[in-house]
Amino acid sequence: MASSVRNTKLFKERLAQLEEETSRLGVFFAPAEAADLLAERVTATANQLGVTERTALQTYTTPYNISLLAKVLAEQAATYREVMAEAEPVTITVQDAGRVVAALGMVCKLATGRIGNDPADAAGVLTDAADAIVGIGAELRTNEDNEPVTISGRTLVYSRTVLTRAIEGLTAAIWVCPCGEPHRPDAPPCALVQGLTADLNVVGGWLAAPNERPGEQR
């Protein structure tokens, strides 16, 4: 979005409304996340309707539409919290826990490359990845005698969400992969995608590579 539109009084008014209404509904943004999200909505509307971003902001980003957006975000947040609450803990080996931490670190590295193109998405991935790393690290820190570690449901959801987002982004060639090879949804996954998929399986994730064995069998 052109900075001139972001700097308009109307954009700032709509942004203030979005932050106020989402806050009242229990949704809180990372710094600049709400502005990036609103800017993306304005740009998407402009592209879809074939109008300028200024027209999309003035004509189609109404207070009513902002209220609807806030409600949708609140519903998504509530669903996410329910998933976290229902997720069962998983017990894995110390070695597998270290493997997942390394995978999450790789995702953080990949996500930084998205900051220029999609700062809101990158910020969300980095925040969730940091929460996952902290959660697993806390379990490893208190581990004694190399005993298996139990990862909480909340940490598992963060881990699964981040790894799934990275796999999907790399597969669709939306994220830049360091392998340097072209990525297509119908093509065999590269070594990095295969590795991240295996790491996702370690934490009981939602994707499965062909013939992939459970984490405890590797």
Side-chain angles (χ1 to χ4, degrees):
M1 166 180 279
S3 59
S4 59
V5 177
R6 277 185 180 248
N7 292 332
T8 62
K9 178 181 178 182
L10 182 57
F11 183 88
K12 294 177 181 178
E13 289 176 352
R14 296 290 185 264
L15 176 59
Q17 179 191 350
L18 178 62
E19 291 176 327
E20 178 183 352
E21 294 200 19
T22 52
S23 175
R24 187 172 66 251
L25 294 171
V27 179
F28 303 95
F29 295 102
E33 185 179 7
D36 291 335
L37 187 150
L38 180 58
E40 289 170 6
R41 295 278 298 194
V42 172
T43 298
T45 300
N47 293 337
Q48 182 178 9
L49 299 178
V51 299
T52 65
E53 291 180 343
R54 187 174 294 274
T55 298
L57 175 64
Q58 293 174 340
T59 306
Y60 302 102
T61 312
T62 64
Y64 176 73
N65 288 334
I66 292 294
S67 294
L68 289 179
L69 176 59
K71 291 178 181 177
V72 169
L73 293 172
E75 291 172 357
Q76 292 174 344
T79 300
Y80 196 60
R81 288 192 292 269
E82 289 176 5
V83 171
M84 284 189 171
E86 295 173 358
E88 295 290 337
V90 170
T91 300
I92 60 178
T93 66
V94 170
Q95 291 75 18
D96 275 343
R99 169 180 174 169
V100 174
V101 170
L104 293 169
M106 171 57 74
V107 173
C108 288
K109 182 177 180 179
L110 296 171
T112 59
R114 297 285 301 154
I115 292 176
N117 297 324
D118 193 341
D121 180 51
V125 171
L126 289 169
T127 300
D128 285 352
D131 285 334
I133 291 172
V134 169
I136 297 175
E139 295 297 332
L140 290 172
R141 183 178 180 182
T142 58
N143 183 265
E144 297 180 359
D145 300 324
N146 207 36
E147 292 292 326
V149 294
T150 299
I151 310 301
S152 71
R154 184 181 185 86
T155 297
L156 288 172
V157 172
Y158 283 134
S159 301
R160 293 166 182 169
T161 300
V162 166
L163 291 171
T164 300
R165 180 72 187 89
I167 292 166
E168 291 175 345
L170 290 170
T171 301
I174 298 172
W175 287 32
V176 177
C177 184
C179 77
E181 298 295 328
H183 284 219
R184 300 189 310 274
D186 60 341
C190 71
L192 176 58
V193 172
Q194 292 181 41
L196 291 176
T197 301
D199 298 329
L200 178 61
N201 287 340
V202 170
V203 290
W206 303 310
L207 299 178
N211 304 317
E212 182 66 39
R213 292 174 294 164
E216 66 271 13
Q217 297 179 16
R218 291 195 298 273

